[in-house]
Amino acid sequence: MLLVAARLLVGWVRFGRWRALLGTILPAMTSAGTAMAPPETAMATAETAPTWLDVHMGRVVERAAERLPFHFKCLPRAMALHWMLVRRGRPGAIAFAVLPEARRGTVDDLHAWVELGGRILIGETERPYHPLARFAHGPLHHSPAAARNINHTR
């Protein structure tokens, strides 16, 4: 359901209307800027390291996207997983990126992925994307209860 909702938002609603659903914007990344090289500052700790459930949720989103009767690009997939992590109080972030100017000119100039503890859970690619923005739900980094409260008030 989240996957379909994300696709509808991306396809039919202006970004400014649903941007807040992604959380707050994080400081700029300090790495080389590719999807294969997560931010240097995102060192995994016991609290932020991806669990088997985090990884499994990424696989579930990918499987659902492949089985549904319409095409899902990277952004709706990343949004669905990001929302699933938020609901469980996990400190993941969704990243938006663009190809270097010299390599642009295709439908896939833009890309999105979800990262947690320095690991990309969904949207990993070999292409050299440069991050533009990363979003996370700040209060959810500290309290699983906060995730439950936010989800019940919407």
Side-chain angles (χ1 to χ4, degrees):
M1 197 65 169
L2 289 175
L3 193 56
V4 174
R7 185 172 189 265
L8 291 172
L9 282 174
V10 170
W12 296 98
V13 181
R14 287 183 304 118
F15 178 70
R17 295 256 189 216
W18 53 266
R19 197 222 55 80
L21 296 174
L22 301 176
T24 56
I25 195 161
L26 297 175
M29 293 173 66
T30 59
S31 71
T34 64
M36 293 298 293
E40 295 167 359
T41 57
M43 303 307 288
T45 65
E47 185 177 302
T48 63
T51 65
W52 72 269
L53 183 58
D54 300 329
V55 174
H56 177 71
M57 287 188 302
R59 286 191 210 121
V60 167
V61 170
E62 291 287 13
R63 228 174 299 137
E66 292 166 4
R67 291 189 172 141
L68 287 169
F70 21 85
H71 180 69
F72 291 92
K73 293 194 70 78
C74 58
L75 182 54
R77 292 174 190 221
M79 289 169 62
L81 178 58
H82 180 65
W83 293 336
M84 290 169 76
L85 291 171
V86 167
R87 184 176 180 115
R88 285 159 183 79
R90 299 296 292 148
I94 186 170
F96 293 2
V98 64
L99 281 174
E101 194 170 339
R103 298 185 75 179
R104 291 185 200 156
T106 68
V107 176
D108 294 326
D109 287 349
L110 301 174
H111 187 53
W113 66 83
V114 173
E115 55 193 42
L116 176 61
R119 179 173 175 190
I120 296 173
L121 298 178
I122 196 169
E124 192 162 7
T125 181
E126 296 289 331
R127 298 181 78 186
Y129 286 97
H130 294 287
L132 297 172
R134 292 170 58 234
F135 299 88
H137 287 270
L140 301 181
H141 289 266
H142 306 292
S143 168
R148 288 190 297 276
N149 291 338
I150 287 173
N151 286 316
H152 290 298
T153 60
R154 288 189 180 162

